[in-house]
Amino acid sequence: MSDTHLAVARSVAMVGLDGHIVDVETHVGRGLVAFTLVGLPDASLREAKDRVRSALQSCGIEVINRHITVNLSPAGLPKSGSGFDAAIAASVLMAAGKLPQRALDRTVIIGELGLDGSMRAVPGVLPALVTARSQGITRAIVPAESAAEARLVSGIDVDAFEHCADMVNALGGRAVRPVAYGGGSLSGGETSSQRKPVLGAAIDLSDVRGQDFAVNALTIAAAGGHHVFLVGQPGSGKTMLAARLPTILPQLDDEAALTVTSLHSIAGVFRDRQELIRTPPLQAPHHSATMAAMIGGGSVRIIPGAVSLAHAGVLFLDEAAEFPSAVLNALRQPLEEGVVTIHRVRGSAQFPARVQLILAANPCPCGGGRGRGRACTCSSIVRRRYLARLSGPLLDRIDITIGMRVPTRADLARTAAPSSSLVRDRVAEARQRAIHRLKDTPWRLNAEVPGRWIREHSGIDTALVTRLDRAIDQGSVSMRGADRVLRLMWTLADMDERRKPHFDDLAHALTLRTGGPDGADF
């Protein structure tokens, strides 16, 4: 055995979307045979020593016969998960003289080890390598299953291995695969790249008929990034309309695509993908979703919730009045700030959460209406209590309310709504006009602009502001609601290619706030 008793390999610890380079330091010395892991590991990470021992023995390497101490530095940073296994194995082998000391210069290793030595994928490879690149790392070693995800990060050479023995041999050591090892976990020798995803039928805005006002309002919402509340009888098309909002949103730019893909990677739902997520995501949690499922959490490893997985896309809450009030009210801060901060005893994590919120609800528990079709059997008190489950502060953050009714046969006979591609082009043009107007500000969408800035710096006519302030004095809108009307007015002007809003935009924006021509139905 070599005189070398110390070695260092590197890996990455993720806390939210923030990564930290971790030095995996190993000391092999005299004493009773033992394998000690220190450096604030959690329970799953403390078990790494048993996985590493079995994996190395499966590769024909017996080094765990000395007193081995592995330190994960910085020691004060909480660490969790099985992604440090491969780095611990490499560090132990270097300290034991089984690998060259400089085999891992400017290299990070991420991956879990099976007892047979197989290397297995772990969540968060993409954001981990983004962190590594920013720290001057030029090479990454990952499991073969994570190769496609790792290669999405430019500027880093990626070596991907199916088995620990392959990694050891590539680094200059000597190891053998166990005879029983089948070369992968997929049955029949099928690789992940050979499996074809099952795609559902493509959806398009042109599927919608008889809801002209709702389609136009949804287009305005897409152009300005405004939150929407759809309310109406069952069968009026609320879910159908909401599901098509992502199809009229522009594709994500490089920065947004990298952030969205990183969030899905940390959550463990980004697999077998060859490129960044470019389509605005849609998250539609069931109304039984818990606070942790909606906002994010975890007792050890903090993972993003639905509101963060919908970042740069759409969060759709169908049957919104059935959600627990505490879960709905927890969305108020993310809607205002665009981020979620989750605090735990061992630390905190922050995830981006800038979404377009779409709420959909029936006007009452029975789902009936006061017009055509099945009559409502609910009393006025029951109806008020039902929608009162949606708190005033939450609804005050909604820019557009769309009252929907079940379309008639005459409605269905009308020309269908325009295709998603045509509407998406119109939305993109309106957004570009907003970006040009806001080029010297930190905002890109009208929905993000503070009302005070609009009043003082946007060049809007003072007569319009005075008229709106009069509505505040009369109690027609709140202060927050007035700011949202101002943002809607600018979106309407951008849609019509006008330099600034006028009085028609004020009337239209107020109509959108109150529910449109069918708003009286609820």
Side-chain angles (χ1 to χ4, degrees):
M1 182 175 174
S2 170
D3 291 334
T4 300
H5 301 293
L6 287 169
V8 178
R10 290 183 175 84
S11 192
V12 183
M14 298 300 302
V15 181
L17 271 185
D18 299 324
H20 304 269
I21 298 295
V22 172
D23 290 336
V24 182
E25 304 171 335
T26 299
H27 176 267
V28 177
R30 294 184 299 273
L32 295 176
V33 175
F35 191 157
T36 305
L37 185 62
V38 298
L40 213 56
D42 71 342
S44 63
L45 183 49
R46 282 194 295 270
E47 295 167 352
K49 57 186 180 182
D50 298 311
R51 292 191 295 268
V52 170
R53 176 187 290 109
S54 297
L56 292 181
Q57 289 176 345
S58 296
C59 296
I61 306 172
E62 185 59 71
V63 295
I64 315 295
N65 56 2
R66 304 282 301 276
H67 189 91
I68 297 175
T69 303
V70 176
N71 177 46
L72 305 176
S73 177
L77 176 72
K79 307 166 191 74
S80 63
S82 56
F84 296 92
D85 290 3
I88 292 172
S91 181
V92 168
L93 290 176
M94 285 195 298
K98 302 294 185 179
L99 285 179
Q101 270 291 299
R102 303 188 64 82
L104 296 175
D105 285 353
R106 302 181 71 181
T107 300
V108 294
I109 308 178
I110 301 171
E112 176 185 330
L113 293 181
L115 299 185
D116 61 353
S118 58
M119 294 184 65
R120 299 171 181 173
V122 294
V125 169
L126 176 66
L129 294 192
V130 171
T131 295
R133 181 182 60 185
S134 69
Q135 298 297 314
I137 300 296
T138 58
R139 182 190 182 200
I141 295 176
V142 300
E145 292 179 79
S146 301
E149 180 180 343
R151 290 182 176 123
L152 293 175
V153 183
S154 60
I156 287 187
D157 296 326
V158 176
D159 292 332
F161 302 102
E162 291 185 340
H163 197 275
C164 181
D166 300 334
M167 178 184 72
V168 173
N169 291 328
L171 294 175
R174 296 181 63 183
V176 294
R177 285 194 184 194
V179 176
Y181 176 68
S185 59
L186 299 176
S187 60
E190 181 186 26
T191 65
S192 60
S193 61
Q194 292 172 325
R195 292 180 296 179
K196 301 296 183 182
V198 179
L199 300 178
I203 61 175
D204 195 273
L205 193 63
S206 59
D207 300 331
V208 180
R209 292 176 178 269
Q211 296 288 3
D212 295 345
F213 177 83
V215 169
N216 181 61
L218 196 72
T219 303
I220 295 168
H226 304 286
H227 306 311
V228 179
F229 181 28
L230 303 169
V231 58
Q233 295 173 252
S236 57
K238 302 185 298 294
T239 303
M240 184 180 190
L241 197 65
R244 282 153 180 77
L245 177 56
T247 69
I248 64 175
L249 295 176
Q251 295 288 286
L252 303 181
D253 59 25
D254 291 344
E255 181 180 357
L258 183 60
T259 300
V260 169
T261 308
S262 296
L263 287 165
H264 284 72
S265 175
I266 289 174
V269 295
F270 181 78
R271 296 286 178 85
D272 299 340
R273 295 289 296 267
Q274 303 294 324
E275 58 186 14
L276 297 176
I277 297 174
R278 294 286 181 178
T279 302
L282 170 67
Q283 290 290 313
H286 189 262
H287 57 73
S288 61
T290 63
M291 182 82 74
M294 184 69 72
I295 302 300
S299 58
V300 178
R301 187 173 71 91
I302 302 176
I303 61 175
V307 70
S308 293
L309 293 177
H311 174 70
V314 178
L315 178 63
F316 174 42
L317 304 185
D318 200 4
E319 303 296 343
E322 302 294 340
F323 279 80
S325 297
V327 174
L328 290 177
N329 289 328
L331 293 172
R332 286 154 53 179
Q333 183 178 1
L335 292 180
E336 288 292 329
E337 300 179 1
V339 296
V340 167
T341 303
I342 302 169
H343 295 274
R344 293 292 181 267
V345 173
R346 299 180 69 186
S348 63
Q350 189 175 86
F351 298 107
R354 193 163 295 284
V355 301
Q356 271 191 263
L357 177 65
I358 307 294
L359 301 177
N362 298 325
C364 64
C366 79
R370 287 183 283 182
R372 186 182 66 81
R374 184 167 63 87
C376 175
T377 59
C378 301
S379 66
S380 59
I381 294 178
V382 170
R383 291 170 64 92
R384 285 198 300 270
R385 285 178 178 172
Y386 185 70
L387 285 182
R389 297 179 183 179
L390 304 176
S391 68
L394 176 63
L395 292 179
D396 210 23
R397 288 167 168 82
I398 301 297
D399 300 5
I400 298 175
T401 300
I402 304 176
M404 301 184 66
R405 57 179 175 79
V406 178
T408 64
R409 181 183 299 180
D411 292 330
L412 296 176
R414 296 179 188 172
T415 304
S419 68
S420 291
S421 59
L422 290 176
V423 176
R424 185 167 56 247
D425 291 341
R426 187 183 176 201
V427 167
E429 292 172 1
R431 287 194 174 198
Q432 285 301 316
R433 282 189 281 273
I435 290 172
H436 178 73
R437 188 179 69 254
L438 300 171
K439 62 182 179 181
D440 296 327
T441 73
W443 311 294
R444 294 173 58 86
L445 295 173
N446 289 322
E448 301 171 359
V449 183
R452 179 178 178 181
W453 189 91
I454 295 178
R455 294 167 182 266
E456 297 177 359
H457 304 289
S458 70
I460 193 170
D461 290 343
T462 55
L464 288 174
V465 176
T466 301
R467 180 73 63 87
L468 188 57
D469 289 341
R470 194 176 305 154
I472 297 174
D473 294 337
Q474 295 170 351
S476 302
V477 294
S478 65
M479 287 294 295
R480 182 184 285 117
D483 289 346
R484 298 189 178 278
V485 169
L486 290 171
R487 296 166 186 168
L488 276 172
M489 291 165 59
W490 270 111
T491 300
L492 292 168
D494 290 335
M495 293 287 291
D496 292 339
E497 303 184 41
R498 286 181 276 102
R499 296 185 61 184
K500 59 175 61 178
H502 52 51
F503 280 94
D504 289 343
D505 295 323
L506 175 59
H508 193 177
L510 288 170
T511 300
L512 291 170
R513 281 281 298 174
T514 55
D518 301 306
D521 290 344
F522 59 89

